[in-house]
Amino acid sequence: MRIDIITAVPELLKSPFEASILKRAIEKKLVSVYFHNIRDYSTNSYNQIDDYQFGGGAGMVMMIEPIDKCISKLKSQRDYDEIIYMTPDGTTFNQGAANKISLMKNIIILCGHYKGVDQRVRDQFITLEISIGDYVLSGGELASAIICDSVIRLIPGVLGNETSALTDSHQDGLLAPAVYTRPSEYKGWKVPEVLLSGHSKKIEEWREEDALKRTELRRPDLLE
Ligand code: ADE
């Protein structure tokens, strides 16, 4: 999978890709991530990428020309499955969307800043608009890092034990069951007996029951 991220502030989102699982996924060539600084596509001598909005009002708007140049260059080099714009008024991201995106070959993610991008960018180039939740960030960069993290860990081979992504919360519509590790007793606090029993069918049943109980308690909306 190839991910091209277009941003005015690349330094805001490089570090998540330089450690741990994402770093290893890149090293193993299971995914490649490229950052494109919109300023490099500015057409005037001040490297301007934003301007006042027509009609007046506070906040700058990202201009269409630098974004058009960047996206058009990328599109001339390969086909893209989706051109995604990170925005609080997009469709709310969830595990289903992560699964879908993880099957794609090439995607572009455009990070907005200030008041957002000129609407014509969205009308002409964007195929998918994603929000990570009903709150406003100062830009799309951190949101795009979240999308990339949740998508990349689903690519086969990225996680050591491939089944472990399948047992995540939300993967089957339920929250994940409780997990424990050694010691089996600490300060008198015990691990549920069944998990120590070695009886795989009973353990599986316990996990299913715990997942359901947790979901009923914490996220009843998921069961509706
Ligand atoms: N940019 C600003 N806020 C955002 C959000 N909640 N989701 C995605 N992109 C954003």
Side-chain angles (χ1 to χ4, degrees), residues 85-90 112 130-141 143-144:
Y85 175 52
M86 302 309 307
T87 173
D89 58 12
I130 297 180
S131 163
I132 60 161
D134 290 341
Y135 42 84
V136 179
L137 304 167
S138 43
E141 282 76 12
S144 75

Side-chain angles (χ1 to χ4, degrees), residues 75-139:
K75 280 174 75 173
S76 74
Q77 293 164 344
R78 67 194 64 76
D79 290 330
Y80 285 91
D81 299 284
E82 296 283 5
I83 302 178
I84 300 168
Y85 175 52
M86 302 309 307
T87 173
D89 58 12
T91 309
T92 310
F93 191 63
N94 60 20
Q95 193 64 31
N99 286 333
K100 215 155 129 187
I101 295 172
S102 75
L103 300 173
M104 294 176 185
K105 191 157 175 271
N106 302 313
I107 60 167
I108 292 174
I109 304 179
L110 172 64
C111 305
H113 241 263
Y114 321 106
K115 272 274 165 221
V117 299
D118 187 303
Q119 180 60 38
R120 289 167 293 182
V121 170
R122 299 168 71 163
D123 296 341
Q124 301 300 326
F125 305 120
I126 299 301
T127 60
L128 183 61
E129 301 194 329
I130 297 180
S131 163
I132 60 161
D134 290 341
Y135 42 84
V136 179
L137 304 167
S138 43

